[in-house]
């Protein structure tokens, strides 16, 4: 059985709040290397709205990890089935095959805390017990619900044998020990190059200059084919171009194989629906445009309308109930069209980052020519070209990769 040590507001086994999605997947692989505790691991995400819903890794051993979809850092962990697990706190076990995690065992392991609350979940009465950075739910059997009427009373003695049904770990906002390591920000300017926390890499920089500014890459890859076909004019097909892969930055730098100078930058957004998912961390980049690149651009920015509730039905002597139908795809698509219907002229403050949609890019830069279609096991993507820039568009309308290259003179 898999044993996980719980530290409230901080960690579950080797998984730590604040860690990157890629780190969590690496730890999962490490668990599987030493043994094979998992029969199935699912990565759950919303393909249609990848930034509006969290990314989750769910383990068949009874726990899941929830990541912020924008930053891709771990923000919540939950144990929803204690039966397949051995749980402990600082080495003291409170959940084993011989001893289930009752209120008594939890209290004996974690110590006293403030009184819990009785709440309703899916029609059942549940006792919610909280510690700094952790909440535990104890479902009350229906035959014992009559004992749980006092608002300022703790869990009755007759109910303290009930096992915990869910353990949720979150950051303790009052005294946080969570360390979040942000990905360095990359400021990119079309026709010029990138600036990474003071390290300046320009088109035409040599490999020695790149190594001096950024250090050694995670890997060096010699390009075999060129699916994007964005190249310096009059160059031969077999030039031996090669990439410096900076996986922890979400960045690739392409060098000309003959001149040995920088000719392209590739920024990776690391959406789960992309065929290169988890090869790179999510790149924290922003691409700006000089005015010389915006001569023929529409230069419009999308202004989303405020999203309204579908319907709010007030109950007599009770709380308001919000009714939503998440299965009505046609209605959702119609709402999305309404949200982006309003446009507003701007001057030159638009930039592309890892969360920018294709609709926003198209409204500002326009749509020039037909796209290049790239097929992969994850589905087809479209690559649109602009002066000094190309964007790979996923099926959900977000960007998979952004390519930046020099404009021929």
């Amino acid at each position: 059985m898999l044993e996980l040590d719980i530290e409230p507001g901080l960690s579950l086994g080797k998984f730590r709040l604040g860690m990157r999605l890629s780190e969590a997947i690496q730890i999962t692989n490490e668990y599987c290397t030493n043994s094979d505790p998992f029969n199935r691991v699912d990565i759950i995400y919303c393909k249609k709205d990848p930034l509006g819903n969290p990314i989750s890794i769910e383990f068949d051993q009874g726990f899941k990890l929830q990541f912020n979809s924008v930053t891709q850092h771990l923000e919540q962990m939950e144990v929803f089935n204690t039966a397949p697990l051995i749980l402990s706190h600082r080495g003291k076990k409170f959940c084993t095959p011989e001893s289930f995690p009752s209120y008594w065992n939890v209290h004996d392991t974690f110590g006293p805390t403030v009184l819990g609350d009785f709440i309703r979940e899916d029609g059942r009465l549940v006792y919610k017990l909280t510690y700094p950075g952790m909440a535990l739910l104890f479902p009350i059997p229906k035959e014992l619900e009559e004992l749980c009427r006092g608002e300022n009373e703790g869990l009755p003695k007759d109910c303290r044998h009930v096992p915990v049904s869910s353990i949720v770990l979150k950051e303790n906002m009052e005294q946080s020990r969570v360390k979040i390591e942000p990905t360095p920000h990359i400021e990119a300017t079309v026709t010029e190059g990138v600036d990474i926390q003071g390290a300046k890499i320009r088109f035409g920089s040599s490999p020695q200059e790149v190594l001096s500014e950024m250090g050694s890459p995670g890997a060096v890859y010699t390009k075999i084919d060129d699916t994007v076909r964005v190249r310096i004019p009059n160059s031969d097909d077999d030039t031996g171009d090669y990439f410096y892969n900076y996986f922890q930055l979400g960045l690739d730098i392409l060098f000309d194989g003959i001149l040995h100078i920088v000719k392209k930058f590739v920024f990776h957004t690391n959406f789960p629906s992309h065929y290169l998912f988890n090869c790179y961390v999510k790149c924290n980049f922003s691409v700006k445009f000089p005015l010389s690149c915006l001569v023929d651009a529409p230069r419009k920015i999308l202004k989303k309308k405020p999203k309204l509730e579908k319907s709010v039905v007030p109950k007599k002597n009770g709380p308001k109930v919000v009714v939503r139908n998440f299965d009505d795809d046609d209605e959702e698509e119609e709402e999305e069209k309404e949200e982006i219907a309003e446009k507003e002229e701007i001057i030159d403050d638009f930039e592309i980052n890892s969360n920018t949609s294709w609709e926003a890019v198209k409204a500002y830069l326009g749509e020039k020519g037909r796209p290049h279609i790239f097929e992969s096991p994850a589905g087809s993507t479209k690559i649109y070209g602009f002066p000094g820039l190309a964007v790979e568009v996923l099926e959900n309308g977000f960007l998979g990769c952004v390519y930046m290259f020099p404009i021929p003179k």
Side-chain angles (χ1 to χ4, degrees), residues 106-327:
V106 169
H107 186 275
D108 185 52
T109 302
F110 293 95
T113 184
V114 296
L115 289 175
D117 299 303
F118 291 104
I119 60 176
R120 286 280 176 183
E121 279 201 352
D122 299 327
R124 295 191 64 182
L125 186 65
V126 175
Y127 184 68
K128 182 179 180 181
L129 186 67
T130 59
Y131 289 86
M134 182 176 69
L136 303 99
L137 301 182
F138 297 88
I140 306 300
K142 286 190 176 182
E143 61 271 17
L144 298 178
E145 287 187 6
E146 289 295 327
L147 302 175
C148 308
R149 293 301 183 185
E151 292 184 1
N152 297 318
E153 300 293 334
L155 190 65
K157 290 184 178 181
D158 292 341
C159 301
R160 296 185 180 183
H161 67 281
V162 175
V164 65
S165 63
S166 176
I167 303 173
V168 178
L169 301 176
K170 283 187 175 182
E171 181 180 1
N172 177 14
M173 302 307 297
E174 296 180 1
Q175 191 176 2
S176 177
R177 292 178 291 166
V178 175
K179 295 181 180 180
I180 297 178
E181 183 181 348
T183 305
H185 183 235
I186 301 176
E187 296 182 7
T189 305
V190 175
T191 73
E192 296 181 12
V194 301
D195 188 335
I196 310 172
Q197 294 184 337
K200 300 182 184 296
I201 309 297
R202 298 291 178 255
F203 290 113
S205 295
S206 67
Q208 291 81 5
E209 291 173 318
V210 173
L211 291 172
S212 176
E213 291 284 349
M214 298 182 58
S216 299
V220 178
Y221 172 73
T222 301
K223 187 173 61 174
I224 300 174
D225 58 355
D226 192 355
T227 56
V228 181
R229 299 293 178 188
V230 179
R231 57 176 71 251
I232 299 175
N234 304 320
S235 64
D236 296 330
D237 284 344
D238 298 324
T239 59
D241 294 350
Y242 51 96
F243 286 99
Y244 278 8
N245 306 121
Y246 290 92
F247 302 112
Q248 296 304 311
L249 293 175
L251 173 70
D252 289 332
I253 301 177
L254 178 65
F255 293 89
D256 186 286
I258 296 176
L259 301 176
H260 300 287
I261 57 173
V262 173
K263 61 183 289 188
K264 188 192 299 181
F265 297 95
V266 184
F267 311 103
H268 298 269
T269 61
N270 198 41
F271 280 111
S273 56
H274 194 262
Y275 65 95
L276 289 178
F277 171 67
N278 198 47
C279 293
Y280 300 79
V281 303
K282 184 174 184 176
C283 186
N284 181 18
F285 72 95
S286 59
V287 178
K288 299 180 180 179
F289 302 86
L291 290 177
S292 59
C293 296
L294 301 174
V295 176
D296 300 324
R299 296 167 70 181
K300 293 182 179 180
I301 187 170
L302 299 182
K303 183 180 179 182
K304 290 189 177 182
K305 293 181 179 180
K307 201 166 187 178
L308 302 177
E309 302 289 359
K310 290 187 178 178
S311 58
V312 179
V313 183
K315 280 189 175 181
K316 292 183 179 180
N317 302 323
K320 292 182 178 180
V321 178
V322 179
V323 181
R324 295 178 182 271
N325 181 9
F326 294 98
D327 296 325

Side-chain angles (χ1 to χ4, degrees), residues 386-407:
F386 303 92
L389 189 80
V391 294
E392 180 188 22
V393 182
L394 303 175
E395 292 177 342
N396 59 9
F398 286 89
L399 307 183
C401 290
V402 176
Y403 308 88
M404 198 172 73
F405 46 87
I407 300 176

